[in-house]
Amino acid sequence: MITKSKLNRKQQIIEKATELFQKQGYAATSMRDLAGYLGIEAASLYSHIKSKEEILQTICFQMANDFFQSLEKVELENSSADKKLRKAVISHVQVMTKDSASSAVFFSEWRHLSESYLNDFLEMRNNYENKFIRILTDGHKEGIFKKMDAKFTVLALLSSINWMPSWYKPDGTLSPEDIADNVTDVFINGLKIRS
Amino acid sequence: MITKSKLNRKQQIIEKATELFQKQGYAATSMRDLAGYLGIEAASLYSHIKSKEEILQTICFQMANDFFQSLEKVELENSSADKKLRKAVISHVQVMTKDSASSAVFFSEWRHLSESYLNDFLEMRNNYENKFIRILTDGHKEGIFKKMDAKFTVLALLSSINWMPSWYKPDGTLSPEDIADNVTDVFINGLKIRS
DNA sequence: CCTACCGATCGGTAGG
DNA sequence: CCTACCGATCGGTAGG
């Protein structure tokens, strides 16, 4: 079927593009580069995609959706804030590690989106961060977390996780749960030995 | 004096380039862009610089040196590991906030360095991270910090700080010390209320 | 999916 | 610091 093979080819294009965008950056990756790796001519790419930016859009909004959906599941549970935070971090890490190349592109190439897409992207990111902030402020109200700058803490927390694709080795021994445990343990309990 | 004005012009070029590299990325910034903002022709840039990459090299290695020097000062003091960690974070943040545009370029455009420069860069970064790791492992030996994956923790710590240029507002109310306090407090004491 | 090609733009040089 | 220009490459289209 034409439709099916087209879809598959499109997926191949996006996958290879993701790999190249991660390695070289979006701007430094040419359509000829991409086509070459797929064994076709650059012009042929345009039978499957509308533009170079469409690829970036697909990657970024696919990841954004994945992150959102997995966090919304966590929000539905009702458990204490510290458990919720741990769950939220686990699901965030799971989404990341499931496709670490897409994650890397998502986190560092989104700024090359054109304006209207960029606005949508930033709004989604903001909403996502706010969900984390709410977990922390709820935790404070519950008497679990101490007083803090919740926004600052969330951005620090997410940053520390998000840049993992640049040093996370998938062949390593750490599972998403291990990573989440390490991260949340540091953030929740800190490094100091409790007296 | 010719030499002096050349140096100043070179500094102007590097400053404006830093700004553009931060906003648009290295690869997406053209020499014609840069020249236009300086009110000269692209070809004229080459009286002051050797190549586009030379600008990136200057930014990256200048920042790398600043980070190294400020950390070495901290290492000379002999104080407890938790105090040392706080000092190290303060000086790291100070270097960052002193020139947040250069920092942003340093952290996200270094991969566009050509191979030999890239190797030097990565080696320096590794050495820098190792100095932080040593502070944490010393802290564990001193009985101040609990058992942990020190490398993982340092990378999480540095990531959470390093991506601050993307959300740190210099007109905000947080000083480098405030930021360092927030970060180290979370990492050292954690979020949980101590019993 | 290809050939053939478009106008635009790239980093950079020659020569003044 | 400029004019004039280089060869290379860019994203993308037309037409098959």
Side-chain angles (χ1 to χ4, degrees), chain A residues 166-167 169, chain B residues 60-61 64 68 106-107 109-130 151 155:
Chain A
S166 58
W167 47 269
K169 302 274 169 275
Chain B
C60 288
F61 287 95
F68 244 97
F106 173 81
F107 287 123
E109 305 299 331
W110 55 267
R111 62 174 162 169
H112 293 109
L113 292 168
S114 54
E115 213 195 327
S116 67
Y117 289 93
L118 188 60
N119 289 340
D120 286 355
F121 179 90
L122 292 174
E123 199 192 318
M124 286 185 80
R125 193 180 67 170
N126 218 47
N127 286 339
Y128 189 75
E129 287 165 359
N130 283 338
K151 187 172 181 181
L155 292 174

Side-chain angles (χ1 to χ4, degrees), chain B residues 9 40-41 43-44 47:
Chain B
R9 197 49 159 164
I40 57 175
E41 294 300 318
S44 306
S47 311

Side-chain angles (χ1 to χ4, degrees), chain A residues 23-184:
Chain A
K23 275 189 203 151
Q24 310 168 354
Y26 175 76
T29 302
S30 75
M31 298 305 269
R32 281 159 181 85
D33 264 358
L34 174 55
Y37 278 103
L38 294 165
I40 59 176
E41 293 300 316
S44 307
L45 292 168
Y46 293 89
S47 312
H48 304 95
I49 54 152
K50 272 176 254 159
S51 66
K52 186 184 178 186
E53 204 198 302
E54 192 205 32
I55 304 177
L56 184 62
Q57 288 159 8
T58 304
I59 299 168
C60 288
F61 287 95
Q62 179 60 252
M63 287 303 299
N65 274 326
D66 287 356
F67 279 121
F68 244 97
Q69 278 183 26
S70 78
L71 186 52
E72 271 164 3
K73 269 183 214 151
V74 172
E75 281 181 314
L76 291 176
E77 306 172 21
N78 58 352
S79 48
S80 59
D82 54 344
K83 278 181 187 138
K84 222 174 208 172
L85 179 60
R86 184 174 173 273
K87 286 269 182 73
V89 171
I90 290 177
S91 73
H92 186 94
V93 173
Q94 271 171 342
V95 172
M96 279 179 59
T97 53
K98 202 181 63 188
D99 191 346
S100 109
S102 292
S103 297
V105 173
F106 173 81
F107 288 123
S108 52
E109 303 299 330
W110 54 267
R111 63 171 162 169
H112 292 109
L113 292 168
S114 54
E115 213 194 327
S116 67
Y117 289 92
L118 188 60
N119 290 339
D120 287 355
F121 180 90
L122 292 175
E123 199 191 319
M124 287 185 79
R125 194 179 67 170
N126 218 48
N127 286 339
Y128 189 75
E129 287 165 359
N130 283 337
K131 289 177 189 297
F132 270 87
I133 290 174
R134 209 163 304 127
I135 294 175
L136 291 196
T137 50
D138 285 353
H140 177 56
K141 278 179 210 148
E142 292 168 23
I144 294 172
F145 295 145
K146 60 187 175 190
K147 195 172 184 322
M148 67 187 130
D149 183 333
K151 186 169 183 185
F152 186 98
T153 307
V154 165
L155 292 174
L157 174 69
L158 288 177
S159 297
S160 75
I161 310 170
N162 290 347
W163 304 100
M164 236 178 39
S166 58
W167 47 269
Y168 175 76
K169 302 274 169 275
D171 52 304
T173 47
L174 292 177
S175 70
E177 282 83 2
D178 289 336
I179 291 168
D181 278 337
N182 275 333
V183 171
T184 51

